[in-house]
Every structure is written in C-alpha cells, then in structure tokens.
Amino acid sequence: MTDLLRPARPVVMGVLNVTPDSFSDGGRYADVEAAVAHGVRLYEEGADLIDVGGESTRPGAVRIDAETENARVLPVIRALAGAGVPMSIDTTRAAVADAALAAGASVVNDVSGGLADPQMAAVVAGAGCPWILMHWRGHSNRMQDLARYTDVVGEVRAALGARVDDALAAGVDPQRIIVDPGLGFAKHAEHNWQLTIGLPELLSLGYPVLFAASRKSYLGRLLAGPDGEPRPVGQRGAATIATSVLAVAAGAWGVRVHDVRDTVDALAVWQASGRPALATTGTGPPAAGATGMPR
Ligand code: PMM
C-alpha cells in the first residue's frame, strides 16, 4: 500500500457513496454487493484509498441517523477490508468513524473538519489514524446560505488553521493531518475557482491538501450548453481531470475522484513529464485579453 503520508505520487481517493441520494452516484451502489464490486474496481484501477460514505452531503440533503449510516457503510467496509482494499470513512459522526475504523477503514474523512461532532477528535487521536479536515460552515441543508466571503482563500485558510489547532490540542498527531478547502461546501463557483488558484496559500499552512472537485456542480455550470443547462454529472469527467491536474501541479497532496482510471492516467502523464509545477501567483486568472490570446 502507498505510504499515504509520504506518497511518491499524488494520492488518488476513489469515491464510493453507499447512499440513495448523492448528487453524482447516489443510488448506484446502495446494495452491498454492487458497492463492494465498485470499490474493488476502483482499487484495481489504481486508487490508493476508497472513500466510503453513507450520508449524502449534496446541497440541501436531509440528514440520516447514525444507525442508518452505520448500516449502509459497515458491511461494505468489512467486505472491502477482507479483499485488502484500503479505505477512508467519509463521515462527520464520531460513532460512525469509530465503528468504521474497527471494521477496517484506516483514515477518517470528515467534511466538517471536526465541527459537527465534538467526540471526533478523541476518536481520531485514540486510533492514531490520518484525519482529513475539510473546510465547512454547516450541514448541507443550509450550507449554500453560508457562502459569503470577502477573501475566500484567506478565510478558508484561517478556518482550516483553527481546525488543525483544535485537532492538535486534542492530541492528534500533526503528521496525520490533511486539510481540504471543501469545494462546493458553502462555496459558489467563483469561490471554488479562487480556492483553486489560491492553493499555494492553503499549502502554506504546512499540511498536505486534498482537492475534491470531482463532477461538482460548478464544473457542470462551466460547461453549460447554449440553453444554459448545466452539463450532466456523468459528462464532467474531462473537466474534473483538468482540475485535478491543475491541483497537483500546484502542490496538492491528492485528489478525490469518481473516475479513478482516467485520473491515474492523467497524473501519470504529469509525473512522466517531470511533475511540472503550475506557476500560480495567487492573484487570480489574467484579465480577459491580457494574454493576447483570443477569448
Ligand atoms: N465532497 C463530497 C463528499 N466528501 N470529502 C472531502 N474531503 N472533500 C470533499 O470535497 C467532499 C468529501 C461531496 O461529493 P460526492 O457527493 O461526490 O461524494
């Protein structure tokens, strides 16, 4: 297995949502057998980690209880662990994280960065496992109302720094912390783009950064047709890959994606070409026409 904390190449997390209602793959892997088969497939395609989630975080999603979440994810985690597949558990609940770690997951991916459940830090510190702390301002049923920033990159950086400080105070090993700007979580499209350009500023926190743009709605809107309809989720693969390559070229530790094989292929090209770095200035894209190129 890849050394997740000192990877030789960017880490690729494959998304496995065991939910009836996730925005992209909801309902497709709701039964255990189909979910396990998909997890094994993503692993064979080159994922370093399969990110198993039982609660949808799409904007407006209704919350489920911990029993339902456990009932969705635990059988899948047990079966994938039996097949030797490394996994993260995508949850904001300490009880679910605890049960998932006992069942065979080895990383906690917490989209609330520890804010949703005050017990989460103790579970992670006790397990000694890596913890992905995502920037979050509230549960999905209200998060888009919270997408107000004057300096999104600076504010996300400061909030992630506070989450890291709390994790350290709870005894979490600094070597096992990964941060994530949380694209689409209380963020409008312009915020997601600013966070992409501003990745070097997030990296200056000194922790590995996970970038998770896969199939998100801002990519659908970028690719909207002449009628203004967003590009359907299943047709956002190329845009996702371009975004992932930009992120790793800017220094991201890893990406969380639905399309593992294509992502691994794209990152192999980047790797083979000498891992060229993106020369971002942190000031945003050039003004229209400033490059002398046609728009
Ligand atoms: N996005 C989703 C779910 N889990 N975890 C992290 N760390 N970062 C994210 O941006 C993130 C996440 C929502 O996307 P999905 O419905 O495709 O899983």
Side-chain angles (χ1 to χ4, degrees), residues 13 15 17 22-25 51 56-58 90 109-111 132 134 180 182-183 185 210 212-214 216 256 258:
M13 286 171 71
V15 178
N17 286 320
S22 285
F23 81 95
S24 161
D25 50 358
D51 190 38
S56 172
T57 50
R58 81 182 151 74
D90 185 347
N109 174 25
D110 178 355
V111 300
I132 299 168
M134 199 193 82
D180 177 340
L183 303 175
F185 286 80
L210 175 68
S214 191
K216 285 191 174 167
R256 177 185 179 277
H258 300 82

PDB file of all heavy atoms in Angstrom, residues 13 15 17 22-25 51 56-58 90 109-111 132 134 180 182-183 185 210 212-214 216 256 258, ligand 1:
ATOM      1  N   MET A  13      -7.971   9.242  -4.271  1.00  0.00           N
ATOM      2  CA  MET A  13      -9.049   8.629  -3.488  1.00  0.00           C
ATOM      3  C   MET A  13     -10.220   8.372  -4.418  1.00  0.00           C
ATOM      4  O   MET A  13     -10.670   9.271  -5.125  1.00  0.00           O
ATOM      5  CB  MET A  13      -9.521   9.590  -2.381  1.00  0.00           C
ATOM      6  CG  MET A  13      -8.559   9.725  -1.227  1.00  0.00           C
ATOM      7  SD  MET A  13      -9.046  11.063  -0.112  1.00  0.00           S
ATOM      8  CE  MET A  13     -10.509  10.388   0.662  1.00  0.00           C
ATOM      9  N   VAL A  15     -14.152   7.607  -4.993  1.00  0.00           N
ATOM     10  CA  VAL A  15     -15.405   7.866  -4.268  1.00  0.00           C
ATOM     11  C   VAL A  15     -16.332   6.661  -4.328  1.00  0.00           C
ATOM     12  O   VAL A  15     -16.647   6.162  -5.414  1.00  0.00           O
ATOM     13  CB  VAL A  15     -16.137   9.080  -4.886  1.00  0.00           C
ATOM     14  CG1 VAL A  15     -17.466   9.335  -4.174  1.00  0.00           C
ATOM     15  CG2 VAL A  15     -15.255  10.315  -4.863  1.00  0.00           C
ATOM     16  N   ASN A  17     -19.955   6.144  -2.739  1.00  0.00           N
ATOM     17  CA  ASN A  17     -21.082   6.608  -1.936  1.00  0.00           C
ATOM     18  C   ASN A  17     -22.129   5.516  -1.839  1.00  0.00           C
ATOM     19  O   ASN A  17     -22.723   5.130  -2.843  1.00  0.00           O
ATOM     20  CB  ASN A  17     -21.698   7.866  -2.562  1.00  0.00           C
ATOM     21  CG  ASN A  17     -20.821   9.086  -2.339  1.00  0.00           C
ATOM     22  OD1 ASN A  17     -20.243   9.262  -1.268  1.00  0.00           O
ATOM     23  ND2 ASN A  17     -20.702   9.930  -3.350  1.00  0.00           N
ATOM     24  N   SER A  22     -26.741  10.629  -3.248  1.00  0.00           N
ATOM     25  CA  SER A  22     -25.620  11.534  -3.533  1.00  0.00           C
ATOM     26  C   SER A  22     -25.785  12.127  -4.925  1.00  0.00           C
ATOM     27  O   SER A  22     -26.395  11.504  -5.798  1.00  0.00           O
ATOM     28  CB  SER A  22     -24.287  10.789  -3.425  1.00  0.00           C
ATOM     29  OG  SER A  22     -23.979  10.586  -2.074  1.00  0.00           O
ATOM     30  N   PHE A  23     -25.218  13.319  -5.135  1.00  0.00           N
ATOM     31  CA  PHE A  23     -25.557  14.034  -6.368  1.00  0.00           C
ATOM     32  C   PHE A  23     -25.064  13.323  -7.615  1.00  0.00           C
ATOM     33  O   PHE A  23     -25.664  13.420  -8.671  1.00  0.00           O
ATOM     34  CB  PHE A  23     -25.040  15.481  -6.321  1.00  0.00           C
ATOM     35  CG  PHE A  23     -23.575  15.629  -6.662  1.00  0.00           C
ATOM     36  CD1 PHE A  23     -23.178  15.929  -7.960  1.00  0.00           C
ATOM     37  CD2 PHE A  23     -22.609  15.483  -5.691  1.00  0.00           C
ATOM     38  CE1 PHE A  23     -21.837  16.074  -8.279  1.00  0.00           C
ATOM     39  CE2 PHE A  23     -21.265  15.626  -6.000  1.00  0.00           C
ATOM     40  CZ  PHE A  23     -20.876  15.917  -7.296  1.00  0.00           C
ATOM     41  N   SER A  24     -23.961  12.587  -7.486  1.00  0.00           N
ATOM     42  CA  SER A  24     -23.380  12.027  -8.703  1.00  0.00           C
ATOM     43  C   SER A  24     -23.662  10.538  -8.858  1.00  0.00           C
ATOM     44  O   SER A  24     -24.090  10.087  -9.912  1.00  0.00           O
ATOM     45  CB  SER A  24     -21.879  12.281  -8.676  1.00  0.00           C
ATOM     46  OG  SER A  24     -21.238  11.432  -9.540  1.00  0.00           O
ATOM     47  N   ASP A  25     -23.415   9.767  -7.783  1.00  0.00           N
ATOM     48  CA  ASP A  25     -23.553   8.322  -7.910  1.00  0.00           C
ATOM     49  C   ASP A  25     -24.606   7.769  -6.965  1.00  0.00           C
ATOM     50  O   ASP A  25     -24.659   6.567  -6.721  1.00  0.00           O
ATOM     51  CB  ASP A  25     -22.208   7.630  -7.661  1.00  0.00           C
ATOM     52  CG  ASP A  25     -21.539   8.096  -6.372  1.00  0.00           C
ATOM     53  OD1 ASP A  25     -22.101   8.979  -5.709  1.00  0.00           O
ATOM     54  OD2 ASP A  25     -20.472   7.574  -6.037  1.00  0.00           O
ATOM     55  N   ASP A  51     -12.938   5.937  -0.624  1.00  0.00           N
ATOM     56  CA  ASP A  51     -13.605   6.797   0.359  1.00  0.00           C
ATOM     57  C   ASP A  51     -15.068   6.381   0.465  1.00  0.00           C
ATOM     58  O   ASP A  51     -15.876   6.704  -0.397  1.00  0.00           O
ATOM     59  CB  ASP A  51     -13.477   8.259  -0.097  1.00  0.00           C
ATOM     60  CG  ASP A  51     -13.923   9.237   0.973  1.00  0.00           C
ATOM     61  OD1 ASP A  51     -13.651   8.990   2.162  1.00  0.00           O
ATOM     62  OD2 ASP A  51     -14.542  10.259   0.621  1.00  0.00           O
ATOM     63  N   SER A  56     -25.329  11.408   2.271  1.00  0.00           N
ATOM     64  CA  SER A  56     -25.138  12.370   1.191  1.00  0.00           C
ATOM     65  C   SER A  56     -24.854  13.753   1.763  1.00  0.00           C
ATOM     66  O   SER A  56     -25.462  14.168   2.747  1.00  0.00           O
ATOM     67  CB  SER A  56     -26.387  12.438   0.319  1.00  0.00           C
ATOM     68  OG  SER A  56     -26.249  13.489  -0.602  1.00  0.00           O
ATOM     69  N   THR A  57     -23.916  14.458   1.115  1.00  0.00           N
ATOM     70  CA  THR A  57     -23.612  15.831   1.534  1.00  0.00           C
ATOM     71  C   THR A  57     -23.975  16.813   0.430  1.00  0.00           C
ATOM     72  O   THR A  57     -23.531  17.946   0.444  1.00  0.00           O
ATOM     73  CB  THR A  57     -22.107  15.965   1.866  1.00  0.00           C
ATOM     74  OG1 THR A  57     -21.357  15.428   0.777  1.00  0.00           O
ATOM     75  CG2 THR A  57     -21.762  15.250   3.141  1.00  0.00           C
ATOM     76  N   ARG A  58     -24.791  16.359  -0.526  1.00  0.00           N
ATOM     77  CA  ARG A  58     -25.143  17.280  -1.615  1.00  0.00           C
ATOM     78  C   ARG A  58     -25.962  18.429  -1.026  1.00  0.00           C
ATOM     79  O   ARG A  58     -26.675  18.244  -0.027  1.00  0.00           O
ATOM     80  CB  ARG A  58     -25.886  16.551  -2.722  1.00  0.00           C
ATOM     81  CG  ARG A  58     -27.321  16.346  -2.481  1.00  0.00           C
ATOM     82  CD  ARG A  58     -27.990  15.565  -3.592  1.00  0.00           C
ATOM     83  NE  ARG A  58     -29.101  14.821  -3.054  1.00  0.00           N
ATOM     84  CZ  ARG A  58     -30.251  15.346  -2.698  1.00  0.00           C
ATOM     85  NH1 ARG A  58     -30.473  16.628  -2.856  1.00  0.00           N
ATOM     86  NH2 ARG A  58     -31.198  14.601  -2.192  1.00  0.00           N
ATOM     87  N   ASP A  90     -15.995   8.397   5.125  1.00  0.00           N
ATOM     88  CA  ASP A  90     -16.459   9.766   4.910  1.00  0.00           C
ATOM     89  C   ASP A  90     -17.653   9.987   5.827  1.00  0.00           C
ATOM     90  O   ASP A  90     -18.779   9.601   5.504  1.00  0.00           O
ATOM     91  CB  ASP A  90     -16.858   9.911   3.427  1.00  0.00           C
ATOM     92  CG  ASP A  90     -17.251  11.324   3.044  1.00  0.00           C
ATOM     93  OD1 ASP A  90     -17.469  12.160   3.936  1.00  0.00           O
ATOM     94  OD2 ASP A  90     -17.349  11.588   1.824  1.00  0.00           O
ATOM     95  N   ASN A 109     -12.294  10.750   6.975  1.00  0.00           N
ATOM     96  CA  ASN A 109     -12.527  11.909   6.112  1.00  0.00           C
ATOM     97  C   ASN A 109     -13.758  12.620   6.650  1.00  0.00           C
ATOM     98  O   ASN A 109     -14.875  12.133   6.512  1.00  0.00           O
ATOM     99  CB  ASN A 109     -12.759  11.435   4.668  1.00  0.00           C
ATOM    100  CG  ASN A 109     -13.145  12.589   3.749  1.00  0.00           C
ATOM    101  OD1 ASN A 109     -12.817  13.746   4.023  1.00  0.00           O
ATOM    102  ND2 ASN A 109     -13.847  12.279   2.667  1.00  0.00           N
ATOM    103  N   ASP A 110     -13.529  13.769   7.278  1.00  0.00           N
ATOM    104  CA  ASP A 110     -14.610  14.450   8.000  1.00  0.00           C
ATOM    105  C   ASP A 110     -14.891  15.780   7.309  1.00  0.00           C
ATOM    106  O   ASP A 110     -14.107  16.736   7.448  1.00  0.00           O
ATOM    107  CB  ASP A 110     -14.142  14.650   9.450  1.00  0.00           C
ATOM    108  CG  ASP A 110     -15.145  15.390  10.306  1.00  0.00           C
ATOM    109  OD1 ASP A 110     -16.169  15.843   9.782  1.00  0.00           O
ATOM    110  OD2 ASP A 110     -14.874  15.509  11.519  1.00  0.00           O
ATOM    111  N   VAL A 111     -16.000  15.860   6.585  1.00  0.00           N
ATOM    112  CA  VAL A 111     -16.283  17.093   5.834  1.00  0.00           C
ATOM    113  C   VAL A 111     -16.568  18.273   6.762  1.00  0.00           C
ATOM    114  O   VAL A 111     -16.586  19.413   6.314  1.00  0.00           O
ATOM    115  CB  VAL A 111     -17.423  16.940   4.794  1.00  0.00           C
ATOM    116  CG1 VAL A 111     -17.105  15.888   3.749  1.00  0.00           C
ATOM    117  CG2 VAL A 111     -18.767  16.704   5.455  1.00  0.00           C
ATOM    118  N   ILE A 132      -8.670  13.703   7.598  1.00  0.00           N
ATOM    119  CA  ILE A 132      -8.860  14.753   6.587  1.00  0.00           C
ATOM    120  C   ILE A 132      -9.847  15.757   7.168  1.00  0.00           C
ATOM    121  O   ILE A 132     -10.999  15.422   7.454  1.00  0.00           O
ATOM    122  CB  ILE A 132      -9.388  14.155   5.261  1.00  0.00           C
ATOM    123  CG1 ILE A 132      -8.372  13.159   4.705  1.00  0.00           C
ATOM    124  CG2 ILE A 132      -9.671  15.281   4.256  1.00  0.00           C
ATOM    125  CD1 ILE A 132      -8.906  12.287   3.567  1.00  0.00           C
ATOM    126  N   MET A 134     -11.898  18.968   6.498  1.00  0.00           N
ATOM    127  CA  MET A 134     -12.391  19.800   5.398  1.00  0.00           C
ATOM    128  C   MET A 134     -12.964  21.102   5.933  1.00  0.00           C
ATOM    129  O   MET A 134     -13.507  21.152   7.032  1.00  0.00           O
ATOM    130  CB  MET A 134     -13.467  19.025   4.610  1.00  0.00           C
ATOM    131  CG  MET A 134     -13.702  19.595   3.227  1.00  0.00           C
ATOM    132  SD  MET A 134     -15.211  18.945   2.465  1.00  0.00           S
ATOM    133  CE  MET A 134     -16.430  20.005   3.236  1.00  0.00           C
ATOM    134  N   ASP A 180      -8.464  20.273   3.542  1.00  0.00           N
ATOM    135  CA  ASP A 180      -9.226  20.250   2.288  1.00  0.00           C
ATOM    136  C   ASP A 180     -10.099  21.511   2.250  1.00  0.00           C
ATOM    137  O   ASP A 180     -10.840  21.770   3.200  1.00  0.00           O
ATOM    138  CB  ASP A 180     -10.096  18.970   2.308  1.00  0.00           C
ATOM    139  CG  ASP A 180     -11.006  18.819   1.109  1.00  0.00           C
ATOM    140  OD1 ASP A 180     -11.286  19.810   0.419  1.00  0.00           O
ATOM    141  OD2 ASP A 180     -11.471  17.688   0.881  1.00  0.00           O
ATOM    142  N   GLY A 182     -12.752  22.110   0.704  1.00  0.00           N
ATOM    143  CA  GLY A 182     -14.194  21.843   0.693  1.00  0.00           C
ATOM    144  C   GLY A 182     -14.926  22.523  -0.459  1.00  0.00           C
ATOM    145  O   GLY A 182     -15.888  23.279  -0.248  1.00  0.00           O
ATOM    146  N   LEU A 183     -14.496  22.238  -1.661  1.00  0.00           N
ATOM    147  CA  LEU A 183     -15.121  22.856  -2.837  1.00  0.00           C
ATOM    148  C   LEU A 183     -16.623  22.545  -2.851  1.00  0.00           C
ATOM    149  O   LEU A 183     -17.032  21.400  -2.649  1.00  0.00           O
ATOM    150  CB  LEU A 183     -14.473  22.332  -4.123  1.00  0.00           C
ATOM    151  CG  LEU A 183     -12.964  22.549  -4.217  1.00  0.00           C
ATOM    152  CD1 LEU A 183     -12.404  21.894  -5.472  1.00  0.00           C
ATOM    153  CD2 LEU A 183     -12.614  24.029  -4.210  1.00  0.00           C
ATOM    154  N   PHE A 185     -18.830  23.321  -0.711  1.00  0.00           N
ATOM    155  CA  PHE A 185     -19.454  23.332   0.617  1.00  0.00           C
ATOM    156  C   PHE A 185     -19.476  24.771   1.118  1.00  0.00           C
ATOM    157  O   PHE A 185     -18.433  25.314   1.501  1.00  0.00           O
ATOM    158  CB  PHE A 185     -18.669  22.458   1.594  1.00  0.00           C
ATOM    159  CG  PHE A 185     -18.841  20.982   1.372  1.00  0.00           C
ATOM    160  CD1 PHE A 185     -18.129  20.323   0.379  1.00  0.00           C
ATOM    161  CD2 PHE A 185     -19.725  20.249   2.150  1.00  0.00           C
ATOM    162  CE1 PHE A 185     -18.284  18.958   0.175  1.00  0.00           C
ATOM    163  CE2 PHE A 185     -19.891  18.886   1.957  1.00  0.00           C
ATOM    164  CZ  PHE A 185     -19.178  18.240   0.964  1.00  0.00           C
ATOM    165  N   LEU A 210      -5.887  18.092   0.273  1.00  0.00           N
ATOM    166  CA  LEU A 210      -6.702  17.252  -0.611  1.00  0.00           C
ATOM    167  C   LEU A 210      -7.613  18.155  -1.431  1.00  0.00           C
ATOM    168  O   LEU A 210      -8.181  19.121  -0.918  1.00  0.00           O
ATOM    169  CB  LEU A 210      -7.561  16.288   0.225  1.00  0.00           C
ATOM    170  CG  LEU A 210      -8.558  15.433  -0.574  1.00  0.00           C
ATOM    171  CD1 LEU A 210      -7.835  14.427  -1.460  1.00  0.00           C
ATOM    172  CD2 LEU A 210      -9.528  14.713   0.366  1.00  0.00           C
ATOM    173  N   ALA A 212     -10.916  18.124  -3.980  1.00  0.00           N
ATOM    174  CA  ALA A 212     -12.028  17.233  -4.325  1.00  0.00           C
ATOM    175  C   ALA A 212     -13.071  17.969  -5.158  1.00  0.00           C
ATOM    176  O   ALA A 212     -14.100  18.414  -4.655  1.00  0.00           O
ATOM    177  CB  ALA A 212     -12.650  16.671  -3.043  1.00  0.00           C
ATOM    178  N   ALA A 213     -12.784  18.085  -6.452  1.00  0.00           N
ATOM    179  CA  ALA A 213     -13.670  18.824  -7.354  1.00  0.00           C
ATOM    180  C   ALA A 213     -14.587  17.902  -8.156  1.00  0.00           C
ATOM    181  O   ALA A 213     -15.484  18.370  -8.845  1.00  0.00           O
ATOM    182  CB  ALA A 213     -12.827  19.634  -8.339  1.00  0.00           C
ATOM    183  N   SER A 214     -14.373  16.609  -8.029  1.00  0.00           N
ATOM    184  CA  SER A 214     -14.943  15.654  -8.984  1.00  0.00           C
ATOM    185  C   SER A 214     -16.436  15.840  -9.257  1.00  0.00           C
ATOM    186  O   SER A 214     -17.272  15.754  -8.352  1.00  0.00           O
ATOM    187  CB  SER A 214     -14.704  14.232  -8.457  1.00  0.00           C
ATOM    188  OG  SER A 214     -15.002  13.292  -9.462  1.00  0.00           O
ATOM    189  N   LYS A 216     -18.362  18.178  -9.596  1.00  0.00           N
ATOM    190  CA  LYS A 216     -19.183  19.108  -8.812  1.00  0.00           C
ATOM    191  C   LYS A 216     -19.929  20.094  -9.711  1.00  0.00           C
ATOM    192  O   LYS A 216     -19.570  20.310 -10.863  1.00  0.00           O
ATOM    193  CB  LYS A 216     -18.336  19.791  -7.741  1.00  0.00           C
ATOM    194  CG  LYS A 216     -18.058  18.773  -6.609  1.00  0.00           C
ATOM    195  CD  LYS A 216     -17.471  19.353  -5.374  1.00  0.00           C
ATOM    196  CE  LYS A 216     -17.415  18.235  -4.313  1.00  0.00           C
ATOM    197  NZ  LYS A 216     -16.597  18.576  -3.167  1.00  0.00           N
ATOM    198  N   ARG A 256      -9.717  13.558  -4.791  1.00  0.00           N
ATOM    199  CA  ARG A 256     -10.817  12.629  -4.503  1.00  0.00           C
ATOM    200  C   ARG A 256     -11.721  12.632  -5.723  1.00  0.00           C
ATOM    201  O   ARG A 256     -12.283  13.675  -6.048  1.00  0.00           O
ATOM    202  CB  ARG A 256     -11.563  13.119  -3.262  1.00  0.00           C
ATOM    203  CG  ARG A 256     -12.784  12.307  -2.875  1.00  0.00           C
ATOM    204  CD  ARG A 256     -13.498  12.968  -1.705  1.00  0.00           C
ATOM    205  NE  ARG A 256     -14.680  12.234  -1.308  1.00  0.00           N
ATOM    206  CZ  ARG A 256     -15.867  12.350  -1.902  1.00  0.00           C
ATOM    207  NH1 ARG A 256     -16.023  13.172  -2.925  1.00  0.00           N
ATOM    208  NH2 ARG A 256     -16.893  11.640  -1.470  1.00  0.00           N
ATOM    209  N   HIS A 258     -14.338  10.390  -8.789  1.00  0.00           N
ATOM    210  CA  HIS A 258     -15.188   9.255  -9.148  1.00  0.00           C
ATOM    211  C   HIS A 258     -14.528   8.413 -10.237  1.00  0.00           C
ATOM    212  O   HIS A 258     -14.681   7.197 -10.254  1.00  0.00           O
ATOM    213  CB  HIS A 258     -16.547   9.750  -9.665  1.00  0.00           C
ATOM    214  CG  HIS A 258     -17.313  10.562  -8.662  1.00  0.00           C
ATOM    215  ND1 HIS A 258     -17.065  11.896  -8.449  1.00  0.00           N
ATOM    216  CD2 HIS A 258     -18.301  10.220  -7.800  1.00  0.00           C
ATOM    217  CE1 HIS A 258     -17.891  12.348  -7.504  1.00  0.00           C
ATOM    218  NE2 HIS A 258     -18.631  11.351  -7.097  1.00  0.00           N
TER     219      HIS A 258
HETATM  220  N1  PMM B   1     -17.133  16.222  -1.201  1.00  0.00           N
HETATM  221  C1  PMM B   1     -18.140  15.354  -1.090  1.00  0.00           C
HETATM  222  C2  PMM B   1     -18.077  14.297  -0.158  1.00  0.00           C
HETATM  223  N2  PMM B   1     -16.991  14.125   0.618  1.00  0.00           N
HETATM  224  N3  PMM B   1     -14.850  14.817   1.293  1.00  0.00           N
HETATM  225  C3  PMM B   1     -13.837  15.686   1.210  1.00  0.00           C
HETATM  226  N4  PMM B   1     -12.758  15.532   1.980  1.00  0.00           N
HETATM  227  N5  PMM B   1     -13.864  16.749   0.349  1.00  0.00           N
HETATM  228  C4  PMM B   1     -14.934  16.989  -0.449  1.00  0.00           C
HETATM  229  O1  PMM B   1     -14.929  17.997  -1.185  1.00  0.00           O
HETATM  230  C5  PMM B   1     -16.028  16.075  -0.397  1.00  0.00           C
HETATM  231  C6  PMM B   1     -15.946  14.999   0.511  1.00  0.00           C
HETATM  232  C7  PMM B   1     -19.346  15.514  -1.950  1.00  0.00           C
HETATM  233  O2  PMM B   1     -19.160  14.883  -3.185  1.00  0.00           O
HETATM  234  P1  PMM B   1     -19.779  13.432  -3.549  1.00  0.00           P
HETATM  235  O3  PMM B   1     -21.272  13.528  -3.383  1.00  0.00           O
HETATM  236  O4  PMM B   1     -19.358  13.176  -4.927  1.00  0.00           O
HETATM  237  O5  PMM B   1     -19.222  12.408  -2.602  1.00  0.00           O
END
